[in-house]
Amino acid sequence: MSWLLNLYETYNSNLDEVGKISKKNNGQEYTLLPISHTTQTAHIEVSITEDGEFHSASIIDKSEGSTLIPCTEESSSRAGSKIAPYPLHDKLSYVAGDFVTYGGKIKNEEPFSYYIAQLREWAESPYALPSLKTIYSYLTKRRLVADLVNAKIIHVGADGKLIDKWDKKAEAFLGERPPIFSTVAGGQESAFIRFTVHSSKRILPKVWKDPKMYESFIKFYEGLLGNDDFCYVTGQLLPSTERHANKIRNAGDKAKLISANDTSGFTFRGRFSKANEVANISYEVSQKAHNALKWLINKQAKIIDQRVFLVWGNDSMLTVPDVVDDTYSIFAMDETATISKEMKSYTHEVFASEFAKAMDGYKNNLSTGANINILVLDSATTGRLAVLYYRSLDKELYFNRLKNWHTTCTWEHRYRKNESQEFVKFYGAPATKDIAFAAYGPRVNEKVVKGLMERMLPCIIDEKRIPKDIVNSALHRASNPVSMERWEWEKTLSIACALINKEEGYGVSLDKENQDRDYLFGRLLAIADVLERNALDSSDQRATNARRYMNSFAQHPERTWRTIQGALQPYQARLGEKVWYYNKLIDEVGSQIKPKDFNNKPLSGKYLLGFYSQRHDLYQKKEKTTGEGNKE
């Protein structure tokens, strides 16, 4: 229940955001929903005059269809043939009193009678606003379909009845296909109608965007809730509910986090006699917690194959560094961090100091006693959503764990792009999604990606060791550059180095004092790679022998090195006098390998660290002496 309590507290800490419309990068709107409200995609907007007469109607563009509407417990979970009207905005079959007159098909009872009776209660309550009474007055006239037909929004056939679907018969009668048949997925009867009031004298707010209308329904509906019962979340006596929200991940999501259905299957009988004995949650807590969760998911969650990875602070500062992000993203969030302006290759000590400053800045922005929450959600079926992972950590502990991860699983990377879409160099830890890229390739199934991301959470939050299979998979892919394009291999290589370095604690800077056999073999391979690359013309982008034999070199270093060294001779001859520097370096590194270690024992991941650091050092020297950029 602690995740529900933290979501409930998050809602109460952000009441000023209720009803405010925000937009995602793709233009989709979202908001922190008021309690007793939900969202629906509306297809037709109907304007009513202040006198309660039809004014106009229009078909809504898909990008503007998301509509905030009041809802009851029954309507929020209606399905099939169940009649459960929304309090105000609803489908044509509910809101049109003349729906049946125009040939509308209903299964049993007429939905309009239930809808208008429910609306009457609200319109006659002391909380009703003038605009609500106006809409109610118009709908009691039972002529909505007639007005929409006259306005040429919906259409009837030759028999004067609503056209069920667009076919040859309808085309012969109407000619050009009307927009309504492209807007609504089903027949015209499925069109969702939203209402507003038009005034020629003053500007009125749209009904579905009016905070006063939200408050009107909330106060009205409070009086209709059931008896008080003990709430397991807050420990208070409050009206309870057994119906909880869906549409958690998106508008079409039917999966629920909390549900009880014992008409078949006996899901809880034998242990409990009633559903609320399992978990009794008050209506207010359920509404606020679910609405906060929907808002946070839209605002800042990472979603991979419908699995939600969400990190938030439960006070007014919601956005905190995400546990699945890379170091570049975290610095980019902090505008005060100088390292975010130009991600230079810092020494490990300087980088750790800069990162600690950034984390301290986030900590100071959170209130005393604030917690950081980590939540992972996914569903195995269309109707049930599960909490796969949940942790609530003290802010001090969370930022310390994050600091440890980003200062130990570190390496130099060049695969991120800045706002100008240019590749930038940054030092730090890779994102968990990019670790999946390195371990399994860019075309890996998203189910594998989300599984790896979940497995990495304990490595960051609890400082557990990275699973061996992930490290080995990244190592093997990085050792096989000929199977990838160059950009893909460079990305895989730097991420693999970061994973290996998590245990080894090396730095990107070349360690000339390191006498480890595997590290030295990696240095030899890098020298051969750079030597051959410098001998080739800049337009010649073929793989060097060092890279072509890299996988074999990792398995049989002594045997493969003899092959590589033999293949280097024509390139050594082409370099002329310049070759003496590389030959001297090969002799210097080779002499540090003890004779007993110069064998075919497979190399560990440390050879990649030696390879990268030696290659980095050589290119850095070239840039300093010639002023040329990296030939890569």
Side-chain angles (χ1 to χ4, degrees):
M1 292 296 173
S2 58
W3 60 272
L4 275 173
L5 178 60
N6 281 317
L7 286 168
Y8 173 70
E9 290 175 348
T10 299
Y11 189 98
N12 288 333
S13 297
N14 293 274
L15 292 174
D16 56 335
E17 296 292 327
V18 174
K20 287 185 179 179
I21 304 296
S22 302
K23 282 191 176 183
K24 295 184 181 180
N25 293 333
N26 61 4
Q28 182 183 343
E29 294 183 343
Y30 68 95
T31 186
L32 179 56
L33 293 171
I35 63 173
S36 306
H37 285 72
T38 187
T39 54
Q40 278 284 358
T41 300
H43 306 111
I44 299 173
E45 182 178 322
V46 175
S47 295
I48 312 299
T49 66
E50 290 183 287
D51 298 328
E53 298 295 333
F54 180 84
H55 176 267
S56 61
S58 61
I59 292 176
I60 304 165
D61 186 84
K62 289 182 179 180
S63 62
E64 299 176 353
S66 182
T67 307
L68 203 161
I69 66 170
C71 68
T72 61
E73 290 183 273
E74 291 78 14
S75 61
S76 64
S77 59
R78 78 183 185 196
S81 59
K82 178 182 177 181
I83 298 177
Y86 287 111
L88 182 55
H89 316 281
D90 211 327
K91 288 186 176 181
L92 185 66
S93 58
Y94 276 92
V95 300
D98 54 348
F99 180 72
V100 176
T101 306
Y102 278 83
K105 298 176 182 178
I106 57 174
K107 293 185 178 178
N108 296 309
E109 300 175 86
E110 186 184 19
F112 177 76
S113 59
Y114 287 85
Y115 167 81
I116 203 68
Q118 181 174 267
L119 183 58
R120 182 189 303 115
E121 286 186 52
W122 183 13
E124 294 177 353
S125 73
Y127 311 109
L129 298 177
S131 54
L132 176 69
K133 294 178 180 179
T134 296
I135 296 170
Y136 170 70
S137 173
Y138 167 72
L139 291 174
T140 56
K141 297 173 183 177
R142 294 173 175 257
R143 54 168 297 106
L144 178 60
V145 174
D147 288 332
L148 290 175
V149 170
N150 291 334
K152 296 184 179 180
I153 298 298
I154 60 176
H155 301 271
V156 295
D159 57 357
K161 305 296 183 184
L162 287 171
I163 297 173
D164 289 335
K165 60 181 179 179
W166 186 253
D167 52 19
K168 291 183 178 180
K169 184 178 178 182
E171 185 177 5
F173 180 71
L174 292 177
E176 189 178 350
R177 182 188 179 103
I180 188 66
F181 292 99
S182 301
T183 304
V184 182
Q188 294 181 103
E189 70 280 355
S190 301
F192 196 94
I193 316 294
R194 71 186 185 193
F195 298 98
T196 192
V197 178
H198 172 81
S199 173
S200 58
K201 301 175 183 177
R202 55 202 174 108
I203 298 176
L204 297 175
K206 296 289 188 182
V207 166
W208 64 90
K209 292 182 178 180
D210 188 356
K212 292 181 180 178
M213 187 64 76
Y214 308 155
E215 193 63 29
S216 169
F217 182 73
I218 292 169
K219 289 181 177 178
F220 164 70
Y221 195 59
E222 278 179 357
L224 303 180
L225 296 174
N227 297 325
D228 289 354
D229 205 344
F230 182 78
C231 176
Y232 284 23
V233 177
T234 62
Q236 300 174 358
L237 290 174
L238 296 166
S240 64
T241 183
E242 291 183 5
R243 295 184 177 95
H244 303 276
N246 54 12
K247 302 180 185 176
I248 292 170
R249 292 171 293 184
N250 53 66
D253 187 14
K254 298 298 182 183
K256 292 184 176 183
L257 276 166
I258 307 168
S259 63
N261 180 4
D262 207 37
T263 56
S264 63
F266 296 95
T267 51
F268 61 78
R269 286 184 186 173
R271 296 184 180 185
F272 306 96
S273 59
K274 296 179 181 178
N276 62 3
E277 292 176 0
V278 180
N280 194 46
I281 300 166
S282 67
Y283 177 79
E284 180 189 3
V285 168
S286 176
Q287 286 282 307
K288 287 186 174 181
H290 282 90
N291 288 349
L293 180 57
K294 294 176 188 179
W295 180 56
L296 289 168
I297 288 173
N298 278 305
K299 181 177 169 57
Q300 62 201 56
K302 305 286 191 303
I303 302 178
I304 307 293
D305 191 38
Q306 296 301 304
R307 180 166 295 178
V308 175
F309 296 84
L310 176 62
V311 179
W312 83 98
N314 61 340
D315 64 357
S316 57
M317 186 195 173
L318 296 164
T319 307
V320 294
D322 201 319
V323 70
V324 300
D325 278 342
D326 58 24
T327 309
Y328 183 86
S329 299
I330 290 176
F331 274 121
M333 286 173 59
D334 184 6
E335 296 178 356
T336 63
T338 55
I339 197 170
S340 67
K341 308 294 187 294
E342 189 178 352
M343 297 293 286
K344 298 178 180 178
S345 181
Y346 284 81
T347 63
H348 183 78
E349 292 75 14
V350 174
F351 169 77
S353 174
E354 287 290 325
F355 193 85
K357 289 177 185 177
M359 292 298 99
D360 290 341
Y362 287 114
K363 281 191 288 187
N364 294 334
N365 287 331
L366 289 168
S367 60
T368 304
N371 285 343
I372 306 298
N373 304 286
I374 306 163
L375 185 67
V376 180
L377 306 172
D378 203 354
S379 60
T381 66
T382 55
R384 298 289 184 271
L385 191 63
V387 176
L388 302 183
Y389 182 94
Y390 174 70
R391 290 288 297 276
S392 180
L393 291 88
D394 173 76
K395 65 173 184 178
E396 196 79 30
L397 178 61
Y398 176 77
F399 285 113
N400 285 342
R401 294 287 169 83
L402 210 58
K403 188 191 305 181
N404 177 70
W405 171 257
H406 284 271
T407 54
T408 56
C409 187
T410 54
W411 207 253
E412 184 184 72
H413 308 280
R414 299 172 185 267
Y415 57 82
R416 286 298 304 263
K417 290 184 178 181
N418 59 17
E419 294 177 355
S420 304
Q421 296 303 301
E422 300 170 334
F423 283 100
V424 293
K425 178 170 65 176
F426 75 96
Y427 184 78
T432 52
K433 186 176 181 180
D434 287 319
I435 292 174
F437 174 104
Y440 306 118
R443 290 169 289 278
V444 62
N445 189 291
E446 284 198 331
K447 287 182 171 56
V448 177
V449 175
K450 69 182 184 181
L452 181 142
M453 290 175 68
E454 186 182 349
R455 291 178 67 197
M456 290 299 299
L457 289 179
C459 306
I460 305 170
I461 299 303
D462 300 316
E463 299 183 359
K464 302 289 186 183
R465 296 188 65 168
I466 301 172
K468 267 292 183 189
D469 63 294
I470 296 175
V471 179
N472 288 339
S473 184
L475 168 61
H476 292 153
R477 291 194 72 248
S479 299
N480 195 18
V482 292
S483 67
M484 296 174 262
E485 293 183 43
R486 181 166 294 172
W487 68 268
E488 183 184 338
W489 175 67
E490 291 286 355
K491 179 176 181 178
T492 302
L493 175 63
S494 67
I495 293 172
C497 285
L499 298 179
I500 296 163
N501 193 46
K502 179 73 173 72
E503 300 298 329
E504 303 300 335
Y506 291 0
V508 176
S509 299
L510 182 63
D511 183 3
K512 295 182 179 180
E513 303 302 318
N514 194 325
Q515 299 295 305
D516 184 88
R517 164 188 180 268
D518 299 346
Y519 190 86
L520 292 171
F521 266 118
R523 289 184 62 187
L524 280 178
L525 189 66
I527 299 165
D529 177 57
V530 175
L531 186 157
E532 183 174 341
R533 174 56 57 196
N534 285 335
L536 293 171
D537 187 81
S538 58
S539 61
D540 191 345
Q541 293 299 308
R542 61 182 166 179
T544 63
N545 283 289
R547 295 188 190 182
R548 287 195 293 114
Y549 289 109
M550 194 170 184
N551 191 38
S552 177
F553 182 80
Q555 301 301 317
H556 310 285
E558 185 268 334
R559 186 178 70 193
T560 311
W561 175 247
R562 282 189 278 112
T563 303
I564 293 172
Q565 198 165 27
L568 280 177
Q569 291 180 8
Y571 302 103
Q572 289 171 319
R574 191 180 301 181
L575 279 176
E577 291 295 325
K578 293 180 182 179
V579 78
W580 294 111
Y581 172 75
Y582 294 108
N583 288 344
K584 179 183 175 184
L585 200 55
I586 289 173
D587 294 341
E588 180 184 315
V589 175
S591 66
Q592 293 181 58
I593 302 175
K594 297 176 182 177
K596 65 176 182 179
D597 292 332
F598 201 84
N599 54 41
N600 283 314
K601 179 184 176 183
L603 301 175
S604 70
K606 284 184 280 189
Y607 97 91
L608 282 182
L609 304 183
F611 173 83
Y612 192 107
S613 295
Q614 180 65 73
R615 190 182 64 154
H616 177 269
D617 182 72
L618 289 171
Y619 281 129
Q620 290 287 93
K621 282 185 170 62
K622 181 177 177 62
E623 289 177 16
K624 289 178 181 178
T625 56
T626 66
E628 296 178 9
N630 188 335
K631 240 182 152 179
E632 291 291 325

